[in-house]
Amino acid sequence: MDCIICLTPLSNNGTIEHVIPDSIGGTLTFQDVCSSCNSLLGTHVDSLLLNNFFVATARARLRIPGKGGDVPNPFDYVILTDDHGNQYRYHLDPEGNPDRLELIPRKEANS
């Protein structure tokens, strides 16, 4: 049997590849993929899908954890600014609950 992506012969039955990533509830799998292609798919396809703001927001709302066990924080790269120019970053706890606002220190202007 050959890998369905790179067509190299598989030394065993191949690795389990989720058609839809298991991190978002995918259960359909196949095993005709070599470990190299499976790893590349995870790095270059799955991670882009799972880290997409809209998917991460839906996962946070539904409290769907990733493989590391944490619910994603789609606001990791969002900076909030108040009326006084103070900037904050919004944090969620590992379960996806609101945790805290972190004040981002102001950079001192060079004299």
Side-chain angles (χ1 to χ4, degrees):
M1 178 181 334
D2 295 340
C3 173
I4 62 172
I5 297 171
C6 69
L7 303 177
T8 58
L10 296 172
S11 57
N12 54 24
N13 290 337
T15 59
I16 295 175
E17 170 60 26
H18 287 82
V19 176
I20 304 292
D22 56 343
S23 297
I24 55 175
T27 58
L28 179 61
T29 63
F30 53 88
Q31 287 190 308
D32 301 340
V33 178
C34 69
S35 59
S36 295
C37 288
N38 196 347
S39 178
L40 285 171
L41 285 170
T43 302
H44 297 290
V45 178
D46 293 356
S47 65
L48 292 175
L49 172 66
L50 297 175
N51 294 322
N52 174 281
F53 177 77
F54 297 106
V55 173
T57 301
R59 288 179 58 213
R61 185 175 55 82
L62 298 170
R63 307 251 195 294
I64 300 173
K67 288 191 179 202
D70 292 349
V71 172
N73 181 357
F75 305 108
D76 266 347
Y77 304 103
V78 174
I79 295 176
L80 307 169
T81 304
D82 66 16
D83 294 340
H84 304 288
N86 298 314
Q87 294 184 324
Y88 301 88
R89 184 169 287 119
Y90 190 64
H91 288 274
L92 303 176
D93 68 14
E95 289 81 35
N97 299 308
D99 186 31
R100 69 188 192 292
L101 281 176
E102 171 192 12
L103 176 63
I104 299 171
R106 290 184 186 208
K107 293 182 180 178
E108 296 294 324
N110 294 334
S111 323

